[in-house]
Amino acid sequence: MTQSCTILTFILLTLSCSLTSQNGDNYVQDACSVTRYQDICIHSLASFSHTAQHSPSRWARAGVSVTIGEAKKVSKYLMIHRSDMIVEGRNKIALLDCIESFQNTIENLHRSLDVLRKLNFQEFDSQMGDVTTWLSAALTDEDTCSDGFDRQKGKVVKSILNRVSNVSYMTSNALALVNKLTTTGPEALKKD
Ligand SMILES: *[C@@H]1O[C@H](CO)[C@@H](O)[C@H](O)[C@H]1NC(C)=O
Protein backbone atom coordinates (compact mmCIF):
# COMPACT_ATOMS: atom_id res chain seq x y z
CA MET A 1 0.00 0.00 0.00
CA THR A 2 2.63 2.48 1.03
CA GLN A 3 4.75 1.39 -1.87
CA SER A 4 2.00 1.83 -4.45
CA CYS A 5 1.27 5.26 -3.00
CA THR A 6 4.91 6.19 -3.41
CA ILE A 7 4.83 4.98 -6.98
CA LEU A 8 1.61 6.82 -7.71
CA THR A 9 2.99 10.00 -6.18
CA PHE A 10 6.09 9.62 -8.28
CA ILE A 11 4.09 9.20 -11.46
CA LEU A 12 1.89 12.20 -10.66
CA LEU A 13 4.88 14.37 -9.86
CA THR A 14 6.65 13.35 -13.04
CA LEU A 15 3.50 13.99 -15.04
CA SER A 16 2.87 17.41 -13.52
CA CYS A 17 6.53 18.40 -13.93
CA SER A 18 6.61 17.44 -17.58
CA LEU A 19 3.31 19.24 -18.22
CA THR A 20 4.61 22.38 -16.52
CA SER A 21 7.84 22.38 -18.45
CA GLN A 22 5.95 21.78 -21.67
CA ASN A 23 3.74 24.79 -21.02
CA GLY A 24 6.79 26.86 -20.21
CA ASP A 25 8.47 25.81 -23.43
CA ASN A 26 5.39 26.70 -25.42
CA TYR A 27 5.25 30.22 -24.02
CA VAL A 28 8.83 30.97 -24.92
CA GLN A 29 8.55 29.30 -28.32
CA ASP A 30 5.42 31.23 -29.06
CA ALA A 31 7.02 34.52 -28.01
CA CYS A 32 10.20 33.81 -29.98
CA SER A 33 8.31 32.88 -33.15
CA VAL A 34 8.42 36.55 -34.23
CA THR A 35 12.22 36.73 -33.94
CA ARG A 36 14.88 36.08 -36.54
CA TYR A 37 17.32 34.19 -34.31
CA GLN A 38 14.93 31.82 -32.62
CA ASP A 39 17.47 29.45 -31.06
CA ILE A 40 19.21 32.33 -29.33
CA CYS A 41 15.84 33.75 -28.34
CA ILE A 42 14.61 30.52 -26.78
CA HIS A 43 17.93 29.87 -25.07
CA SER A 44 18.22 33.34 -23.57
CA LEU A 45 14.56 33.80 -22.62
CA ALA A 46 13.42 30.33 -21.52
CA SER A 47 13.66 31.28 -17.84
CA PHE A 48 11.03 34.03 -18.34
CA SER A 49 8.37 31.64 -19.65
CA HIS A 50 6.39 31.33 -16.44
CA THR A 51 6.39 35.01 -15.57
CA ALA A 52 5.89 36.42 -19.09
CA GLN A 53 3.49 33.80 -20.50
CA HIS A 54 1.32 35.64 -23.08
CA SER A 55 2.26 39.19 -22.11
CA PRO A 56 3.95 40.98 -25.06
CA SER A 57 5.21 43.76 -22.78
CA ARG A 58 6.86 41.32 -20.38
CA TRP A 59 8.56 39.54 -23.28
CA ALA A 60 9.75 42.85 -24.68
CA ARG A 61 11.24 43.82 -21.30
CA ALA A 62 12.83 40.39 -20.94
CA GLY A 63 14.36 40.65 -24.42
CA VAL A 64 15.92 44.03 -23.73
CA SER A 65 17.00 43.03 -20.25
CA VAL A 66 18.95 39.91 -21.31
CA THR A 67 20.53 41.93 -24.12
CA ILE A 68 21.78 44.48 -21.58
CA GLY A 69 23.33 41.68 -19.54
CA GLU A 70 25.16 40.25 -22.54
CA ALA A 71 26.21 43.69 -23.86
CA LYS A 72 27.77 44.50 -20.47
CA LYS A 73 29.70 41.23 -20.53
CA VAL A 74 31.00 41.93 -24.02
CA SER A 75 31.88 45.49 -23.07
CA LYS A 76 34.02 44.15 -20.19
CA TYR A 77 35.67 41.71 -22.57
CA LEU A 78 36.51 44.56 -24.95
CA MET A 79 38.01 46.60 -22.09
CA ILE A 80 40.20 43.69 -21.07
CA HIS A 81 41.69 43.59 -24.56
CA ARG A 82 42.15 47.35 -24.82
CA SER A 83 45.72 47.13 -23.57
CA ASP A 84 46.33 43.77 -25.23
CA MET A 85 49.39 43.98 -27.47
CA ILE A 86 48.07 41.15 -29.66
CA VAL A 87 45.46 43.51 -31.03
CA GLU A 88 47.32 46.09 -33.10
CA GLY A 89 47.16 48.47 -36.05
CA ARG A 90 43.77 48.79 -37.68
CA ASN A 91 42.28 46.35 -35.19
CA LYS A 92 43.46 48.40 -32.21
CA ILE A 93 41.69 51.45 -33.63
CA ALA A 94 38.62 49.32 -34.34
CA LEU A 95 38.68 48.06 -30.75
CA LEU A 96 38.80 51.56 -29.28
CA ASP A 97 35.90 52.63 -31.54
CA CYS A 98 34.05 49.49 -30.60
CA ILE A 99 34.35 50.22 -26.88
CA GLU A 100 32.74 53.61 -27.52
CA SER A 101 30.02 52.13 -29.74
CA PHE A 102 29.22 49.62 -27.02
CA GLN A 103 28.84 52.34 -24.42
CA ASN A 104 26.25 53.97 -26.70
CA THR A 105 24.59 50.62 -27.23
CA ILE A 106 24.27 49.96 -23.50
CA GLU A 107 22.95 53.49 -22.93
CA ASN A 108 20.27 53.03 -25.60
CA LEU A 109 19.30 49.64 -24.23
CA HIS A 110 18.92 51.11 -20.73
CA ARG A 111 16.78 54.00 -21.99
CA SER A 112 14.59 51.46 -23.78
CA LEU A 113 14.15 49.31 -20.69
CA ASP A 114 13.33 52.35 -18.54
CA VAL A 115 10.50 53.31 -20.89
CA LEU A 116 9.25 49.73 -21.23
CA ARG A 117 8.90 49.70 -17.45
CA LYS A 118 6.76 52.87 -17.50
CA LEU A 119 4.40 52.15 -20.37
CA ASN A 120 0.97 53.72 -20.16
CA PHE A 121 -2.15 53.97 -22.31
CA GLN A 122 -1.90 57.72 -23.03
CA GLU A 123 1.70 57.76 -24.24
CA PHE A 124 1.92 54.24 -25.63
CA ASP A 125 2.51 55.17 -29.29
CA SER A 126 5.21 57.74 -28.64
CA GLN A 127 6.84 55.49 -26.03
CA MET A 128 7.02 52.59 -28.48
CA GLY A 129 8.33 54.97 -31.14
CA ASP A 130 11.18 56.01 -28.82
CA VAL A 131 12.04 52.43 -27.86
CA THR A 132 12.11 51.37 -31.52
CA THR A 133 14.41 54.27 -32.38
CA TRP A 134 16.81 53.53 -29.53
CA LEU A 135 16.97 49.80 -30.23
CA SER A 136 17.63 50.49 -33.92
CA ALA A 137 20.40 52.88 -32.89
CA ALA A 138 21.85 50.15 -30.64
CA LEU A 139 21.86 47.75 -33.60
CA THR A 140 23.60 50.32 -35.80
CA ASP A 141 26.28 50.88 -33.15
CA GLU A 142 26.89 47.13 -32.91
CA ASP A 143 27.26 46.91 -36.71
CA THR A 144 29.62 49.88 -36.69
CA CYS A 145 31.70 48.04 -34.13
CA SER A 146 32.11 44.83 -36.17
CA ASP A 147 32.71 46.74 -39.42
CA GLY A 148 35.95 48.26 -38.19
CA PHE A 149 37.90 45.03 -37.75
CA ASP A 150 40.13 43.23 -40.19
CA ARG A 151 38.57 39.77 -39.99
CA GLN A 152 41.69 37.95 -41.16
CA LYS A 153 43.65 38.68 -38.03
CA GLY A 154 43.81 36.38 -35.07
CA LYS A 155 41.83 34.56 -32.42
CA VAL A 156 41.07 37.56 -30.24
CA VAL A 157 39.50 39.48 -33.13
CA LYS A 158 37.43 36.44 -34.08
CA SER A 159 36.28 36.05 -30.51
CA ILE A 160 35.39 39.75 -30.29
CA LEU A 161 33.40 39.52 -33.52
CA ASN A 162 31.53 36.41 -32.34
CA ARG A 163 30.55 38.07 -29.10
CA VAL A 164 29.51 41.30 -30.80
CA SER A 165 27.39 39.34 -33.31
CA ASN A 166 25.76 37.54 -30.41
CA VAL A 167 24.68 40.87 -28.93
CA SER A 168 23.44 42.00 -32.36
CA TYR A 169 21.30 38.89 -32.68
CA MET A 170 19.89 39.43 -29.21
CA THR A 171 19.19 43.11 -30.00
CA SER A 172 17.46 42.11 -33.24
CA ASN A 173 15.34 39.66 -31.26
CA ALA A 174 14.50 42.32 -28.67
CA LEU A 175 13.45 44.66 -31.47
CA ALA A 176 11.15 41.97 -32.88
CA LEU A 177 9.57 41.46 -29.45
CA VAL A 178 9.12 45.24 -29.18
CA ASN A 179 7.51 45.34 -32.65
CA LYS A 180 5.15 42.62 -31.53
CA LEU A 181 4.19 44.74 -28.53
CA THR A 182 3.71 47.79 -30.77
CA THR A 183 1.36 45.94 -33.12
CA THR A 184 -0.58 44.48 -30.20
CA GLY A 185 -1.19 48.03 -28.99
CA PRO A 186 -1.88 49.45 -25.53
CA GLU A 187 -4.40 46.65 -24.83
CA ALA A 188 -1.29 44.52 -24.26
CA LEU A 189 -0.79 46.38 -20.98
CA LYS A 190 -3.91 44.74 -19.60
CA LYS A 191 -2.04 41.45 -19.59
CA ASP A 192 0.65 42.85 -17.27
C1 LIG B 1 25.89 34.51 -26.49
O1 LIG B 1 25.10 34.95 -25.38
C2 LIG B 1 24.67 33.91 -24.52
C3 LIG B 1 23.83 34.56 -23.40
O2 LIG B 1 22.54 34.72 -23.81
C4 LIG B 1 25.84 33.17 -23.94
O3 LIG B 1 25.37 32.11 -23.16
C5 LIG B 1 26.72 32.66 -25.07
O4 LIG B 1 27.87 32.09 -24.52
C6 LIG B 1 27.12 33.80 -25.99
N1 LIG B 1 27.88 33.29 -27.14
C7 LIG B 1 29.02 33.88 -27.52
C8 LIG B 1 29.65 33.33 -28.76
O5 LIG B 1 29.52 34.80 -26.92
Side-chain angles (χ1 to χ4, degrees):
M1 187 64 188
T2 320
Q3 204 175 18
S4 68
C5 266
T6 312
I7 291 167
L8 186 64
T9 307
F10 175 76
I11 292 170
L12 286 174
L13 276 176
T14 313
L15 188 67
S16 83
C17 283
S18 74
L19 283 175
T20 319
S21 96
Q22 225 168 35
N23 283 340
D25 287 352
N26 288 345
Y27 289 130
V28 72
Q29 264 159 17
D30 185 45
C32 287
S33 66
V34 298
T35 65
R36 182 159 170 200
Y37 307 97
Q38 295 198 12
D39 288 349
I40 292 177
C41 182
I42 290 169
H43 179 251
S44 60
L45 294 180
S47 62
F48 293 87
S49 250
H50 290 289
T51 45
Q53 298 195 2
H54 289 303
S55 159
S57 51
R58 287 189 184 185
W59 282 117
R61 282 197 293 272
V64 174
S65 155
V66 294
T67 308
I68 290 176
E70 191 57 28
K72 281 185 176 166
K73 269 197 225 161
V74 173
S75 178
K76 267 188 201 147
Y77 182 81
L78 296 173
M79 302 277 209
I80 288 168
H81 288 287
R82 183 166 48 183
S83 49
D84 191 336
M85 301 314 267
I86 305 167
V87 183
E88 53 184 7
R90 178 183 160 186
N91 283 331
K92 175 62 101 199
I93 296 165
L95 177 58
L96 296 177
D97 288 345
C98 192
I99 288 172
E100 222 178 282
S101 302
F102 250 76
Q103 260 138 23
N104 292 335
T105 289
I106 292 169
E107 220 177 275
N108 277 314
L109 290 169
H110 271 304
R111 293 163 90 184
S112 303
L113 188 59
D114 284 347
V115 168
L116 287 173
R117 282 179 174 148
K118 291 185 255 179
L119 291 175
N120 61 71
F121 269 70
Q122 291 73 31
E123 298 171 290
F124 186 81
D125 289 341
S126 75
Q127 287 178 318
M128 294 315 292
D130 286 345
V131 172
T132 306
T133 305
W134 296 330
L135 288 183
S136 307
L139 258 184
T140 306
D141 274 318
E142 291 152 13
D143 286 346
T144 306
C145 162
S146 342
D147 283 349
F149 290 95
D150 173 0
R151 277 142 209 282
Q152 311 303 319
K153 288 231 177 89
K155 267 191 206 158
V156 173
V157 169
K158 285 211 176 89
S159 169
I160 287 174
L161 288 169
N162 278 338
R163 285 165 203 243
V164 171
S165 300
N166 204 23
V167 176
S168 295
Y169 300 152
M170 292 173 79
T171 309
S172 153
N173 286 346
L175 192 52
L177 295 170
V178 161
N179 287 339
K180 166 77 180 180
L181 172 57
T182 305
T183 55
T184 308
E187 308 82 68
L189 304 181
K190 289 180 190 154
K191 289 187 178 172
D192 269 12

